[in-house]
Amino acid sequence: MPKLYSEEEKRQIIEKLKKEANILMLEKGVKKTTVDELVKRAGIPKGTFYLFYPSKEMLLYDVSQDFHEQVDCYIANGVHKIIRDKKLSMKEPDFSDCVEELTDVILGAMEITYHSCLKVLLNPGSMNLILSKIPDEVIENHRKDDSSIGGGLFKGLAVKNGMSAEAVVGAFMMIIFGGMYKREIGETNWKESMRIVIRGIVFQLLS
């Protein structure tokens, strides 16, 4: 008979699985992340895993959405702080005098991404491995619920300035991929190098 878990035990198990899933994706990628190693690291029986997730892909998808929300919340909180500190209009804020502040917010979001599985999942092949095993209704529900504040802000700024929103997103992705060469760039220069490039994109968005 399957073991019965309290709500707190369930929460702790899911938390452990998500933590180890993030670590394994960063270490080995999606394909080489296995249920066997996940349960070993989380310290639970293999059968317990399937009480919570029908597949490893569903867990990995769940983890990716958590980090996606974390990045979006970080940007949203940063933007709201800029609006408060600069006393800007909430309805149509003018960020033209906020290049440095917005650069700091985006740099922080980039660092979250760089240290999470999102960096791995920016590779279309890796994301496709996960999405191929996720039920269509789960993906569709996520799309309906996805109200990305950060993405909406930068898309709006891009359109306002006659820039391609897709190109701006691509530019940020290039920065993230460039962050993978942290060792080659140099530990002491890496963050400031990212800041310089991000500032250039923000300046164009606000010009």
Side-chain angles (χ1 to χ4, degrees), residues 128-141:
N128 287 338
L129 282 173
I130 294 177
L131 294 180
S132 66
K133 301 290 181 68
I134 303 297
D136 291 341
E137 60 269 21
V138 173
I139 298 173
E140 184 59 31
N141 287 337

Side-chain angles (χ1 to χ4, degrees), residues 40-98:
K40 181 180 178 181
R41 290 191 177 209
I44 61 172
K46 190 171 182 178
T48 298
F49 176 89
Y50 295 104
L51 294 176
F52 296 93
Y53 292 99
S55 66
K56 81 167 188 185
E57 287 80 13
M58 197 67 227
L59 167 60
L60 303 187
Y61 183 77
D62 207 7
V63 174
S64 73
Q65 297 315 305
D66 281 358
F67 278 110
H68 181 278
E69 290 175 13
Q70 184 179 337
V71 169
D72 196 53
C73 284
Y74 182 93
I75 294 174
N77 291 336
V79 169
H80 288 154
K81 184 176 186 303
I82 292 171
I83 291 173
R84 289 195 307 271
D85 292 350
K86 294 279 188 176
K87 296 180 172 60
L88 305 179
S89 166
M90 283 293 293
K91 189 175 182 181
E92 292 186 12
D94 178 6
F95 294 106
S96 57
D97 192 35
C98 305

